[in-house]
Amino acid sequence: MEGLEKAGKLVRITTPVNKDTELHPLVRLQFRGLPEAQRKAFLFENVTDSRGRSYDMPVLSAHSPASSEIYSLGMGVPVKEISNTGARPWPSR
């Protein structure tokens, strides 16, 4: 996460986010046409659920498939070496 944050590729969300109804739709918005270079990972620091429960663990989402740059930061390899790992970012729709 430190590498993502230093590169400006991490969005920290501290307001309550419902994991059942809000977390994934919010992250999916960037995969609906946002260019790969503009995508970011999200760290949800105040996770709740539909029953009103709170969770003491944050959730990191879109940290691998969002873009080649984000994946390379997480893997600690240059973008040009990602093909050696067998992973690819998700394509835009």
Side-chain angles (χ1 to χ4, degrees), residues 11-89:
V11 176
R12 288 180 176 264
I13 299 173
T14 58
T15 57
V17 174
N18 185 320
K19 71 172 183 65
D20 300 325
T21 60
E22 299 173 317
L23 193 144
H24 292 290
L26 179 61
V27 173
R28 284 186 64 202
L29 286 175
Q30 73 177 345
F31 294 107
R32 300 238 178 219
L34 191 62
E36 184 178 319
Q38 294 178 11
R39 297 179 190 167
K40 298 187 179 196
F42 293 85
L43 180 63
F44 298 95
E45 297 179 338
N46 190 351
V47 180
T48 63
D49 69 12
S50 295
R51 295 182 180 183
R53 293 179 288 202
S54 294
Y55 298 87
D56 57 357
M57 288 186 70
V59 173
L60 180 64
S61 186
H63 60 287
S64 294
S67 72
S68 297
E69 182 182 4
I70 290 173
Y71 188 79
S72 75
L73 289 165
M75 293 295 290
V77 298
V79 172
K80 63 185 177 187
E81 293 181 19
I82 287 178
S83 62
N84 297 334
T85 67
R88 300 277 186 273

Side-chain angles (χ1 to χ4, degrees), residues 1 10 79:
M1 284 192 326
L10 180 66
V79 172

